[in-house]
Amino acid sequence: MTPDLVIAVLAATLTAATPLLFAGIGELVVERSGLLNLGVEGMMLVGAVTAFAVSVATGSAAAGIAASMLVGAVLGLAAAVLVVTVRADQVVTGLTIVILGDGLSRFFGQSLVGVSGAALLSPVPVPLLADIPWIGPIFFRQNLLVYLSYILVPAVWYFMYRTRPGLALRATGERPSAADLGGHNVFLIRYLALAFGSAMAGLAGGFLALGYLNAWVEGISAGRGWVALALVILAGWHPIRLIGGAYLFGFAYIMAFQIQTFGGVFQEVSTYLVQMFPYLLAIVVLAIMGRRFRRHRVGPPAALALPYVREERS
Amino acid sequence: MTRAPWLVDVAAFLGAVALALALGAGALLITGTPVLPTYASMFSGSIGSLYGLQSSIGFAVPIAFCALAAAVAFRAQVWNIGGEGQLLLGTFGTTLAALYLPVPEPLMLPAVILAAAAAGALWGLLPGVLKVWLGVNEVLSSLMLNYVALLWIDFLVFGPWKDPAMAGWPYSKPFPPGAMLPQFGTSGLNLSLVLALGVAVVFAVMFRYSRWGFETTVIGYSHAAARYAAMNVARKTVQVMLISGAVAGLAGLGEVSGAAGRLYHMSPGYGYVGILVSWLASHNPLLIPFAALFYGVLIQGGSALQIAQVDPSLVRILQAAIILFALAALTLTRRYRLARIERRAA
């Protein structure tokens, strides 16, 4: 492998990992508030179609991305009414949102299939840093949203572990009655967390359409929403540990995409078998981490997927 | 109202359907489609004619299998979201037996039925074993396996199992006649309808009267309680996943041995829909056929709309809206019923 190819693969890995990182960090915040959002995949689809449609209509990629986050947040608030206020089953709600998002994105995306002319997210080299050998072309010749992902994860970590609202968020996910007693509004915190997580899922979809695949394709997310859910578990619900997982899976997607171009034996492998790689990898990594987590007693937030009822003691 | 609490549920459910249809009417108006003729053709295409009703039942059968598969798992609080992949493996098992198993023709039918169930069970066993041995979250492993199954079927029909006679089309070779499910006249319905109803009755009896069903229900309520009662939660989890996978595999049987008679690329989504249907039926095996029929009517109504040039994705949106409203309505009625009982007890 030539250095150029290595650089190209690693730079592509970062791009492929960015939507996973967005959706993953959003879901991580949601789960730390004690909610389980299985609807990520559907929210990504709606975000992608929205971003693409708005970008085509306005000629502005920024407007498309903003719209994808807005639509995600609106879906998240609707889901919050169901799971926080009505206390509906979170697994069923999430799966229904996936079906809803799939239907909505197909309905509104019908006239956009094969359309070109959307304003896309173009790479913006960072002055000076982009010229560092190896590091520059891999990390600093990306689009602005990739740079945002570099900042977002540490920012979420800082929020969760160094601020009082972050403490309230974690308390809500572990023991909502204690958070309530401490004067925090459990319901408001969960609404906000789900709105944030869903906006991030929408953003991930917008990134797929405008910064990675550069088109609207039906079912564009192709399971990435579910991979993001797996990443949260792999990270042990800790934001910093999400980074490694996201890049690993970004690499897996690029390999599944690129491996046949390496020639030789790889050329003979069926593309359908190669595409299984990220999903099988997820299961294998979950299995490896499962043992580790048992040993180190890492687990989900204690109140995950349990609705909070004020008048009941827990 | 006190005498027939189920009436409240039915009323809440119908209210949810009405609300979703009203919202759908709004969406139709925005797209400039006339509302009443659209709903009328959806109705007449699904339950308004014998043909429509038969097709609705045809759609309901695989959904009922997947819902029964979900019910047995969810009752034990084992979150098997892999019905779709287990269904696909069922189609693989059926095809493997139909095309490559050297059995005499009279034994072919039992062979394909068993092969479908066995292949589905294998795909259910994997997440079960991974959960029990390695602590892998079954929601995610079963889900990831859906994508693997989908790619596996595509690999076969685009690759080694492709019928050279079907130039360019991703189909396997046709099944021998013995591997096809017996049809009921010209109704388009076949043996899988009887199998689905049979599984529903067996599950109902199992949960009501057998020790196994009782233990599964206890595990569903509390793992700790089950352990104190010396029940083997790990073994039960694996058994539940095996049974759940086998039943979802039977959904795949009808998809290939019912009418097509070949393996082909498919992604029907019944595995996911089955989970929603099972929840609608409170995971009650005897209610599942009715809930599945309701969803079958929705799907058949949707295909009737397609003939009327209405966007099929609109129907998916309508389906999701109905489920979301029903979810809210039934969650509330079930909770208030519980509150009433508690008040009376207090």
Side-chain angles (χ1 to χ4, degrees):
Chain A
M1 281 223 269
T2 63
D4 278 354
L5 183 60
V6 174
I7 287 174
V9 164
L10 291 179
T13 296
L14 284 195
T15 322
T18 302
L20 301 176
L21 211 48
F22 284 140
I25 199 76
E27 179 64 17
L28 194 140
V29 168
V30 172
E31 293 195 13
R32 290 306 289 257
S33 83
L35 296 176
L36 178 67
N37 176 19
L38 287 188
V40 180
E41 179 83 3
M43 293 168 172
M44 270 174 101
L45 285 167
V46 174
V49 79
T50 307
F52 197 77
V54 170
S55 172
V56 169
T58 64
S60 158
I65 291 298
S68 70
M69 293 177 68
L70 189 70
V71 169
V74 169
L75 263 180
L77 288 174
V81 173
L82 273 174
V83 297
V84 179
T85 304
V86 178
R87 289 179 249 149
D89 187 290
Q90 296 183 18
V91 173
V92 179
T93 305
L95 287 172
T96 315
I97 287 173
V98 175
I99 294 179
L100 179 71
D102 183 58
L104 283 171
S105 67
R106 279 173 205 272
F107 181 67
F108 290 106
Q110 221 170 26
S111 55
L112 296 168
V113 176
V115 168
S116 57
L120 303 173
L121 297 163
S122 45
V124 181
V126 181
L128 298 177
L129 293 175
D131 299 325
I132 304 171
W134 292 88
I135 310 266
I138 295 171
F139 288 95
F140 297 112
R141 287 185 195 171
Q142 304 273 4
N143 66 51
L144 290 176
L145 284 183
V146 178
Y147 302 144
L148 173 67
S149 76
Y150 301 161
I151 306 166
L152 186 66
V153 175
V156 168
W157 172 83
Y158 184 85
F159 169 78
M160 274 174 51
Y161 290 95
R162 291 290 180 272
T163 70
R164 294 198 67 83
L167 181 65
L169 172 81
R170 289 184 290 136
T172 301
E174 296 297 336
R175 197 174 260 262
S177 53
D180 198 358
L181 209 61
H184 299 293
N185 187 336
V186 169
F187 304 99
L188 180 68
I189 289 172
R190 289 187 167 172
Y191 262 85
L192 290 177
L194 192 50
F196 170 77
S198 309
M200 285 297 115
L203 173 65
F207 183 91
L208 277 179
L210 298 182
Y212 181 39
L213 300 171
N214 299 337
W216 164 251
V217 190
E218 291 195 340
I220 191 172
S221 50
R224 286 184 178 80
W226 297 111
V227 169
L229 276 152
L231 285 176
V232 175
I233 298 180
L234 296 181
W237 291 268
H238 191 284
I240 300 300
R241 273 185 249 141
L242 193 71
I243 301 171
Y247 288 155
L248 178 67
F249 279 89
F251 185 68
Y253 274 106
I254 292 300
M255 280 296 120
F257 199 58
Q258 287 279 336
I259 200 158
Q260 280 165 321
T261 62
F262 293 171
V265 201
F266 298 117
Q267 225 167 346
E268 305 299 320
V269 186
S270 163
T271 152
Y272 299 106
L273 298 184
V274 170
Q275 282 173 23
M276 291 177 184
F277 182 53
Y279 308 113
L280 292 174
L281 180 72
I283 295 172
V284 170
V285 180
L286 280 171
I288 295 168
M289 297 302 273
R291 295 199 94 131
R292 263 182 61 99
F293 284 171
R294 269 191 189 171
R295 207 161 347 115
H296 296 282
R297 293 172 182 273
V298 175
L304 184 63
L306 300 176
Y308 177 58
V309 190
R310 242 198 144 158
E311 56 269 43
E312 280 175 11
R313 272 177 285 170
S314 59
Chain B
M1 190 174 132
T2 12
R3 291 226 182 115
W6 59 271
L7 264 178
V8 185
D9 273 7
V10 170
F13 180 68
L14 290 178
V17 173
L19 205 57
L21 287 177
L23 251 166
L28 285 171
L29 282 176
I30 292 171
T31 60
T33 322
V35 175
L36 282 179
T38 307
Y39 280 161
S41 67
M42 208 174 151
F43 182 81
S44 65
S46 56
I47 35 181
S49 68
L50 183 64
Y51 168 78
L53 191 61
Q54 285 166 349
S55 305
S56 301
I57 296 172
F59 282 118
V61 168
I63 294 175
F65 274 122
C66 289
L68 289 164
V72 67
F74 281 36
R75 280 182 84 118
Q77 303 272 7
V78 177
W79 306 107
N80 176 18
I81 317 284
E84 185 81 358
Q86 290 143 19
L87 178 155
L88 289 168
L89 258 280
T91 67
F92 163 72
T94 308
T95 312
L96 188 69
L99 296 181
Y100 300 98
L101 201 65
V103 291
E105 176 150 345
L107 289 179
M108 204 51 184
L109 191 62
V112 287
I113 295 172
L114 283 178
L122 170 78
W123 220 235
L125 181 69
L126 273 171
V129 167
L130 283 169
K131 178 188 168 74
V132 168
W133 285 352
L134 301 170
V136 177
N137 179 310
E138 75 275 22
V139 171
L140 289 163
S141 58
S142 61
L143 226 141
M144 297 293 157
L145 287 174
N146 288 346
Y147 288 93
V148 175
L150 191 63
L151 289 162
W152 174 243
I153 301 293
D154 279 356
F155 164 68
L156 290 173
V157 294
F158 283 99
W161 279 11
K162 194 174 139 123
D163 184 359
M166 298 287 284
W169 294 96
Y171 288 109
S172 77
K173 290 200 186 96
F175 292 179
M180 298 299 288
L181 295 172
Q183 305 280 321
F184 300 140
T186 55
S187 61
L189 299 172
N190 56 49
L191 184 69
S192 57
L193 171 64
V194 180
L195 283 177
L197 293 175
V199 170
V201 171
V202 169
F203 273 11
V205 170
M206 225 166 66
F207 280 121
R208 189 86 178 76
Y209 297 107
S210 81
R211 183 197 172 111
W212 192 91
F214 172 71
E215 289 189 357
T216 311
T217 311
V218 171
I219 287 174
Y221 282 121
S222 163
H223 279 201
R227 268 192 213 101
Y228 285 131
M231 295 175 192
N232 189 334
V233 176
R235 182 191 295 170
K236 194 74 69 180
T237 301
V238 173
Q239 288 171 350
V240 159
M241 283 302 293
L242 262 177
I243 293 175
S244 180
V247 172
L250 288 176
L253 170 72
E255 294 304 290
V256 286
S257 269
R262 295 167 184 271
L263 184 64
Y264 55 98
H265 165 90
M266 70 174 100
S267 167
Y270 296 148
Y272 304 103
V273 167
I275 293 166
L276 309 180
V277 165
S278 177
W279 187 88
L280 273 184
S282 318
H283 308 310
N284 178 343
L286 291 182
L287 288 180
I288 280 174
F290 298 101
L293 180 62
F294 169 74
Y295 215 95
V297 166
L298 282 182
I299 295 182
Q300 170 57 22
S303 18
L305 283 190
Q306 247 168 300
I307 297 163
Q309 304 282 310
V310 177
D311 187 346
S313 45
L314 200 65
V315 182
R316 284 184 76 98
I317 300 174
L318 200 62
Q319 287 164 359
I322 288 175
I323 301 288
L324 285 177
F325 283 118
L327 190 60
L330 292 179
T331 303
L332 291 174
T333 56
R334 283 171 194 172
R335 183 183 322 143
Y336 285 123
R337 173 146 356 108
L338 206 65
R340 283 170 65 95
I341 294 167
E342 278 170 1
R343 258 205 310 280
R344 219 174 298 152

